[in-house]
Amino acid sequence: MTSAASFTEAVSGLWVYWLIIVLMMVGLYIVIARDNLVKKVMGLNIFQAAAILFYVSMAKVEGGTAPIVPQDAGHGAGHEGHEILYSNPLPHVLMLTAIVVGVATTALALALAVRIHREYGTSEEDEAVAWDMEHG
Amino acid sequence: MPGLTDHFVVLEVVLPLLAAPACVLIRNPRVTRLFSLGIVAACFAIAVALLIQVRGGGVISYHLGGWPPPLGIEYRVSTVNAYLLVLVTAMALVVMSFDSRGGPPRVSESRRHLYYAVFLLCVCGLLGITITGDAFNIFVFLEISSLSSYILVSLGGHRRAVMSAFHYLVMGTIGGVFFMLGVGLLYQATGTLNLREIAERLEPSLDDRGAVLALALLVVGISIKLAVFPLHHWLPNAYSFAPPKVSAFLAATATKVSFYLLATILFVIFGAPFVFGELRLHVVLMPLSILAMFLASGAAIFQTDLRRLLAYSSVAQVGYMTLGLSTANATGLAGGLVHLFNHAVMKGGLFLVVACLLHRVGAVHLDALAGVGRRMPVTCAALVIGGLSLIGVPGTVGFVSKWYLVSGVLERGWTAAAVLILLSSLLAVVYVGRVVEALYFRQPAEDHVRPGLREAPFAMLAPTWILIAAAIVFGLTTNWTYGVAAEAAGLLLQGGI
């Protein structure tokens, strides 16, 4: 019974982590299993998105609002004892950088895929490798 | 100017970062070359100044934008990373000054300024990883250096260079994301991104799943970039199809910076008592290092292309470094760190020799190199000395590294590992021997006879010989290299940076 209880707890309490891990493995699987270079890039994107989701979900505070101080917050007197709960802005800001990194990586990967297509006449990795084997 | 020296720490990174877009605007290939050479020289001067300042246990802490840590980003220089800053900038300077005609052959004159821009970005990323004291900042610089090195590798000219760059990108990105996740878990556990704050607040134990997972993600992520044995798959292709100048630079710096990063994570953030005491990471790391030494050296023996041979030898050399790391004692760690410097010098020099040979002979297959030793004696002598250093012959830097590695391993009580280090050197004798045999003792085949074959131009030979000479000088006097490495190892073992 206890193990069943702890299992449901692990699923319901940590569902975000499960989601992230599943998403991550989906991405990784695509990178490994697909031969098409563009699909590989998509897999990498999903992989990165999982990590970004991890940061974003980590920073979310239950019941917390966007970390922007309301305009009337400065007029203290009427608001005593009324605390506003904010989400943690730092990981969200970090993820802006990570998204930029992801976009740069995708752009570069696609540029390389275009060059590979021009050189080999295919976007399939296995065909390109086979071509190299044949022609040295 | 009184204020300027205070900002040396940040200028080290900002100079190449700003110079890269400036190159794109200048456009003129000759001007951009001199400009970027000047920038790299300035970075080298700053790095040397910083090392002199922190020698003997000093620490410079620079707060970006005046925000004190842990709120602001801190750049922190101690002996450990000042040592690496000097290495990276020195290698960049030597590789930059190599061959007055500039970039790789594939890059046309009208695009050459872009090559310099990317090169400077790569330097900037590597220096940033080394100098920063902020975990997420490391990730950003890691990606800057990685993205630019994918581009540099793809400039190799052969179609397989592009494919290798793509593979490198896929592996590198996976490593980068692992690293980012690890940093996220550390942030979750400690609420800070400052490395020293993390180290102070984190009390890792085996029951703490988060900490163990963070360690696993960080170690695997960095190991991909470092090409630790089973994760080295991208390296041989990337190094053998990249322009040889680029291989020289990357082989000498990129994996070294990753090694520093790994050492920082293990010794500073998690601490040797947890990593090697409780978790017993050496049980995995030591056998993998030894496998790298043997399998990669074994693979090197069967290569017919000199570049691939050197690339596989690089994987083996990473094995020596991680073996030093896994001893977790002062001698072994210092051996690993001194090998970091020594291998950078010799492998950088060897890849520059490859560039010289490629320039004159046109190919670096061992068949094509048959008999070249008699036509290009100065170039090939450099290759032989570099090769002897790879083996670890006394009088070269390779001997110094192996001496301290073997002492460190023996101090740890791993007698078998010490014997294996010596045995693996025999494999190096074989692969270096094959090259020497081709260069000096083989007659060129009929279709490979080149009547006009001469020595490589001075502009190429001079930087090559600077590195090869360094491989001898630092093999004879170890005060500078081992002295600094021992100090750095001591600092790391205390958990300080």
Side-chain angles (χ1 to χ4, degrees), chain A residues 5 13 23 31 34 38 50 55-56 62 92 94-96 111 122 130 134:
Chain A
L23 202 57
V31 174
R34 295 291 143 186
V38 179
Y55 269 80
V56 171
E62 231 168 289
H92 292 176
L94 294 181
M95 283 312 100
L96 290 182
T122 175
E134 260 175 57

Side-chain angles (χ1 to χ4, degrees), chain B residues 52-66:
Chain B
I52 292 170
Q53 249 179 296
V54 297
R55 250 335 271 282
V59 168
I60 307 171
S61 168
Y62 182 90
H63 307 158
L64 248 67

Side-chain angles (χ1 to χ4, degrees), chain A residues 45-64:
Chain A
N45 272 321
I46 297 173
F47 187 66
Q48 280 176 326
I52 290 170
L53 273 181
F54 168 70
Y55 269 80
V56 171
S57 66
M58 164 172 92
K60 172 69 184 159
V61 175
E62 231 168 289

Side-chain angles (χ1 to χ4, degrees), chain B residues 264-476:
Chain B
T264 314
I265 300 284
L266 295 183
F267 290 101
V268 179
I269 294 194
F270 288 89
F274 173 67
V275 176
F276 295 103
E278 265 186 84
L279 195 67
R280 299 171 61 76
L281 186 69
H282 54 88
V283 174
V284 181
L285 200 55
M286 192 260 281
L288 286 183
S289 309
I290 290 174
L291 275 177
M293 281 151 45
F294 277 90
L295 294 181
S297 300
I301 291 175
F302 293 100
Q303 299 308 317
T304 51
D305 185 298
L306 183 56
R307 285 177 292 179
R308 267 189 110 65
L309 186 149
L310 291 177
Y312 272 106
S313 141
S314 274
V315 177
Q317 305 293 325
V318 168
Y320 291 111
M321 284 187 260
T322 48
L323 182 64
L325 191 73
S326 61
T327 61
N329 62 34
T331 323
L333 189 56
L337 287 172
V338 83
H339 191 50
L340 176 155
F341 179 87
N342 292 344
H343 179 241
V345 169
M346 56 192 173
K347 199 47 77 60
L350 282 168
F351 270 114
L352 288 185
V353 174
V354 169
C356 292
L357 289 171
L358 211 53
H359 181 74
R360 282 291 186 226
V361 185
V364 286
H365 292 297
L366 291 186
D367 293 337
L369 292 178
V372 169
R374 268 159 285 172
R375 312 291 290 278
M376 301 172 69
V378 184
T379 316
C380 293
L383 186 59
V384 172
I385 295 174
L388 290 178
S389 184
L390 276 181
I391 300 169
V393 172
T396 61
V397 283
F399 177 72
V400 179
S401 324
K402 281 189 182 149
W403 176 268
Y404 289 111
L405 277 176
V406 169
S407 339
V409 167
L410 284 177
E411 207 175 292
R412 188 78 163 74
W414 294 338
T415 323
V419 175
L420 289 173
I421 292 181
L422 299 177
L423 282 178
S424 71
S425 304
L426 290 179
L427 293 179
V429 174
V430 178
Y431 64 71
V432 172
R434 284 192 67 214
V435 181
V436 172
E437 189 256 344
L439 285 175
Y440 291 97
F441 301 107
R442 222 188 284 171
Q443 286 301 323
E446 281 299 313
D447 51 331
H448 278 125
V449 179
R450 285 179 189 74
L453 190 62
R454 340 175 242 124
E455 205 62 72
F458 179 75
M460 300 176 107
L461 276 180
T464 311
W465 268 98
I466 287 176
L467 289 183
I468 296 297
I472 301 175
V473 170
F474 292 120
L476 297 174

Side-chain angles (χ1 to χ4, degrees), chain A residues 17 24 55 88 115 125 132, chain B residues 159 167 180 184 187-188:
Chain A
Y17 290 95
M24 216 176 160
Y55 269 80
N88 184 353
R115 285 256 318 260
E125 192 194 10
D132 270 332
Chain B
R159 61 172 185 280
H167 281 151
M180 186 174 100
Y187 177 74
Q188 206 173 26

